Amino acid sequence: MANLLLLSGPNLNMLGSREPEIYGSRTLDDIERDLQARAEAAGSRLECYRSNAEHELVERIQAAASDASEVLIINPAALGHTSIALRDALAGCGKPFIEIHISNIYAREPFRHHSYLSDIAAGCIVGLGTYGYELALAAALKLGSGAAD
Ligand code: DQA
């Protein structure tokens, strides 16, 4: 049993209609529902939180420091490339997190090649489309169970 938290950053609420050639056709609702069902089937719980606002994500991460969340999965969206505040919140939270990007940020514009989160993440999943969320969940379940390898 693990308590997991999925965080989604700006513009991910537009998945499905937003640049489908890059991000695919699934909505964030589809992704969250599917992941929650998979977490429950594994005897765990997944809370989903999304915001377009940097400060709201920072506040949710701060709260995660002392709530039941054991492992965080975060698609920071564009904030991964810009936000030292998000990095500081995750570093201060003390809970392991997995960074995910739907697209291969290293094969896109140079300004997407750097993430302020990657070097402090437990692991990163990029470029595998929304399938990456399934992989992130599997990894988070493993981290939550305390399994090292
Ligand atoms: C993204 C990649 C970011 O560069 C972009 O700003 C996003 C989505 C992805 O999931 O591929 O909003 O995080």
Side-chain angles (χ1 to χ4, degrees), residues 10 12 18 23 75 77-78 81 100-103 105 108 112:
L12 295 175
R18 173 192 181 204
Y23 300 114
N75 185 339
H81 313 305
I100 171 172
H101 295 278
I102 297 167
S103 62
I105 55 175
R108 299 183 63 191
R112 296 184 202 276

Side-chain angles (χ1 to χ4, degrees), residues 67-91:
D67 73 14
S69 310
E70 290 162 274
V71 184
L72 280 52
I73 300 169
I74 181 167
N75 185 339
L79 291 176
H81 313 305
T82 62
S83 178
I84 298 171
L86 209 56
R87 177 197 174 90
D88 287 349
L90 286 162

Side-chain angles (χ1 to χ4, degrees), residues 5 17 22 24 31 37 42 46 52 60 65 67 71 88-89 91 93-94 96-97 100-101 112 129 134 136 139-140:
L5 174 62
S17 59
I22 297 175
I31 293 166
L46 176 75
N52 286 321
R60 184 64 193 87
D67 73 14
V71 184
D88 287 349
C93 172
F97 73 90
I100 171 172
H101 295 278
R112 296 184 202 276
E134 279 179 47

Side-chain angles (χ1 to χ4, degrees), residues 4 6 26 29-48 134 137 141:
L4 311 175
L6 171 67
R26 294 171 77 203
D29 280 340
D30 294 337
I31 293 166
E32 289 179 348
R33 259 196 305 269
D34 176 61
L35 237 55
Q36 279 175 326
R38 287 174 190 276
E40 270 168 41
S44 293
R45 204 181 145 268
L46 176 75
E47 180 190 327
C48 299
E134 279 179 47
L137 180 73
L141 287 170

